[in-house]
Amino acid sequence: MFDLNFAKDSFNQILAATPLTLIVALVATIIGLGLAILVVIAREKRILVLSQFLAILVSFIRGTPILVQLYVVYYGLPQLLVLMNEWGWNTNPNGLPAIIIAFSAYGLNAMANLSESIRAAYHSVDFGQYEAALSIGMTPFRAMTQIVIPQLIINLIPNFTNIFLDLIKDTALIYNIGLVEIMGQANIVSSIGFKYLETYTDALIIYIIICWIFAQLFRLVEGKLRQRYFVV
Amino acid sequence: MLLKITDLKKQFNGQQILNGIDLSINKGEVVVIIGPSGSGKTTLLRNLNFLEQADSGLMEFAGEKINLAQATKSEIQMVRRKTAMVFQNYNLFKNKTAQENIAEGLIYGHGENAKTANQKAVQALKNLGLDKRKDYYPSQLSGGQQQRIGIARATVLNPEIILFDEPTSALDPELVGTVLKDIQQLAEQGQTMIVVTHQMWFARNVASRVLFFADGEIIESGTPVQIFEHPQKQRTKQFLNALADNY
Ligand SMILES: Nc1ncnc2c1ncn2[C@@H]1O[C@H](COP(=O)(O)OP(=O)(O)OP(=O)(O)O)[C@@H](O)[C@H]1O
Ligand SMILES: [Mg+2]
């Protein structure tokens, strides 16, 4: 039978692991956004070799399970540091904290998904907007920052929301590399009382609430921007 | 002479779209370009302000000689600052108000301070009788209002030349007159301009010179009377006859 009291008692314990879930999702989004912007610039400018390489990298990341990516980074990143040491760097491959692995793996994943969404949002801005800006004497850089990017951002928000929510949900896998976020904490608590359904139900409720809050938040921002600019 | 173009050539995908254009324009001239669809009129205008880059040709403008195929960034920037373009589909900035649309070029294209730029923008809107709409976004304005603001966005920059690419062909018929009157008024104030249009009464009444354009070449050029009453070339006659049949 479902032990409601156990579920209630466990809830706060599991909730206490929420910050790690949010931190990994947030840091990955920030890293991913920074990298994605560079990827989009390189690909849109068709920088030779680099743009082809990035296109392949992005499709690789988007075409493989995040759990596999997590393991590849978990075992691969220390190896990379060993290699870097051979080239004369001074790093400590054994002391790599799991959280850095998580930031790297999820950051790369976010980079791939965000770069595709940013490209789509960029292409959905009418090119005539950019040309009109050039035609009145704005530099290409100004035309981008004044006209194209603000319109791009509005187009980007719905996809950005999805990617961010996916990240929150996907961080459930980092207990595999020893990090205790919501899912890891649920595992630990359940193994104490051997009551699994209760704790996973707690985790479920927490994920639903978090995702709902962020979905509402981003929708609000998008609505405000569209209203502000009457962009339909 | 304000602008002189020599032997401008442009290909798209191996197809010759502009086939050696020679064109010179004096200050205050209103040059109207007419010609069949697909003949390269838009492409010509876009080459003049480097929205397309020509394959070859020379531009003499504002005391500078520019190799069109190898124009430097600063040459391109100079030309764009001294010209302005009015687009067929207006291309007002969707994320800017009417006032901002007009002020933006002054601020970010010409380096004026925001205060004077906004004063000029408001004045321009007053002249159009659209000052009540200054805080409206393009999506809240009619096509005619948008295009009149598009013209104000160009004129406020005080450009040496304004390039108009079919400024009225996306408008409802009853709005065409208002917008063309705005342009006519500008012409009467001495604004130099190149206007691509299918509105023949505008060409007849406002142009100081009419160019008949076909297959990437200027087939014939002259005063409105010369072109419309006494066309010399077979190609021009055909075009004008075909137009007449449509009315
Ligand atoms: N960016 C481009 N890439 C390839 N072909 C192009 C491009 N722009 C224009 N063309 C081609 O160049 C030719 C001339 O086009 P252009 O738009 O200059 O004609 P136009 O005289 O302005 O016609 P309209 O009266 O219909 O506006 C057309 O055949 C068009 O397909
Ligand atoms: Mg055209």
Side-chain angles (χ1 to χ4, degrees), chain B residues 13-32:
Chain B
N13 312 322
Q15 211 189 340
Q16 199 72 41
I17 302 297
L18 296 178
N19 203 359
I21 306 292
D22 295 314
L23 175 63
S24 30
I25 295 176
N26 292 316
K27 205 165 165 46
E29 256 194 302
V30 176
V31 174
V32 173

Side-chain angles (χ1 to χ4, degrees), chain A residues 71-83:
Chain A
Y71 281 141
V72 168
V73 174
Y74 184 72
Y75 292 107
L77 201 54
Q79 302 264 346
L80 187 68
L81 294 189
V82 171
L83 208 64

Side-chain angles (χ1 to χ4, degrees), chain A residues 132 135-136, chain B residues 84-87 89-93 98 101-102 125 128 130 141-157 162-164 167 179 182-183 186:
Chain A
S135 78
I136 53 170
Chain B
M85 188 159 189
V86 174
F87 298 85
N89 54 353
Y90 336 129
N91 282 341
L92 287 192
F93 306 129
N101 261 280
I102 300 173
L125 285 168
L128 295 176
L130 286 174
L141 295 163
S142 75
Q145 291 167 338
Q146 287 188 60
Q147 191 58 302
R148 296 176 75 210
I149 291 166
I151 294 168
R153 172 173 76 176
T155 51
V156 77
L157 302 171
I162 303 182
L163 311 170
F164 290 89
V179 171
D182 283 358
I183 302 175
L186 270 176

Side-chain angles (χ1 to χ4, degrees), chain A residues 126-129 131-140 142 146-148 150-151 227-232, chain B residues 46 49 51 77 80-81 83-84 87 91-96 104-105 108-110 137 139-140 153 157:
Chain A
D126 180 4
F127 196 63
Q129 295 280 305
E131 294 191 329
L134 295 185
S135 78
I136 53 170
M138 285 195 213
T139 60
R142 271 289 176 212
Q146 284 296 309
I147 307 301
V148 178
Q151 296 185 36
Q227 203 180 28
R228 160 87 173 76
Y229 294 120
F230 290 90
V231 176
V232 273
Chain B
R46 290 170 58 82
N49 67 357
L51 291 182
Q77 212 51 38
R80 285 183 182 154
R81 288 211 174 100
T83 58
F87 298 85
N91 282 341
L92 287 192
F93 306 129
K94 290 181 190 161
N95 58 326
K96 304 282 173 186
E104 206 81 349
Y108 297 106
H110 290 229
Y137 285 86
S139 61
Q140 299 171 292
R153 172 173 76 176
L157 302 171

Side-chain angles (χ1 to χ4, degrees), chain A residues 114-134:
Chain A
L114 283 171
S115 72
E116 287 299 87
S117 297
I118 294 172
R119 263 159 47 94
Y122 168 66
H123 288 294
S124 65
V125 177
D126 180 4
F127 196 63
Q129 295 280 305
Y130 177 69
E131 294 191 329
L134 295 185

